[in-house]
Amino acid sequence: MAMYRHVLFASDLSKAGDAIGQKAKEIAEVNWAKISLVHVFTPFEPGYASELGGFSEALPVPDPSLEKLALTELEQQAQRLLLPDATCHLGIGSPKREIVRIAQENEVDLIVIGGHGLHGLEYILGSTADGVLHRTVCDVLTVRVEG
């Protein structure tokens, strides 16, 4: 019996993300599981405003052409990972919240996400991986990312 039925790879679209995606792919293959990819498009920098709470109405409206570019890059990452049948999801807003929302909506039982040392505002607010871990009910695998 397979341990996981649906694996979600949370991608930041970086080249380092390919190694994390490869780990997610291997886990999905061993478990004969479905695999999906998600990238959360954050239309503001540095991306922490929604985490501070209270003024999400003031956030800028995402540029549809940038959203399309992000989804295209995610689909290209799926192709590089040789995952032509993977479903690609694009969330908009807080990565912590959107990854968890998409995982719940798609009955994901494992989220694979990159993790690295905390610095700056991330140190104060917590990493995306940590935020996902504390918000979801499914398993979370954090793959160490150098840098």
Side-chain angles (χ1 to χ4, degrees), residues 18-99:
D18 285 355
I20 299 162
Q22 188 62 40
K23 179 77 76 175
K25 177 184 174 180
E26 291 168 8
I27 292 168
E29 287 174 347
V30 165
N31 286 275
W32 296 84
K34 175 179 179 177
I35 187 165
S36 298
L37 289 76
V38 62
H39 173 71
V40 179
F41 178 77
T42 307
F44 43 88
E45 289 296 328
Y48 300 107
S50 66
E51 294 302 318
L52 298 175
F55 52 94
S56 60
E57 303 82 22
L59 298 177
V61 176
D63 180 336
S65 64
L66 293 177
E67 284 180 57
K68 185 172 174 20
L69 179 62
L71 185 57
T72 298
E73 287 184 29
L74 187 62
E75 290 167 347
Q76 289 172 348
Q77 189 168 42
Q79 293 298 321
R80 283 194 310 272
L81 293 168
L82 304 176
L83 296 169
D85 299 327
T87 303
C88 292
H89 301 277
L90 183 66
I92 300 172
S94 162
K96 298 171 190 179
R97 288 182 171 83
E98 284 297 293
I99 291 167

Side-chain angles (χ1 to χ4, degrees), residues 3 5 13 29 52 61 64 77 84 98 105 107 109 111 119 121 145:
M3 186 171 182
R5 295 178 320 275
L13 302 179
E29 287 174 347
L52 298 175
V61 176
Q77 189 168 42
E98 284 297 293
E105 288 177 2
E107 299 178 350
D109 46 16
I111 299 169
H119 51 82
L121 279 177
V145 176

Side-chain angles (χ1 to χ4, degrees), residues 8 22 32-33 46 113-114 123 134 136:
L8 180 66
Q22 188 62 40
W32 296 84
I113 190 168
Y123 183 76
H134 288 92
T136 193

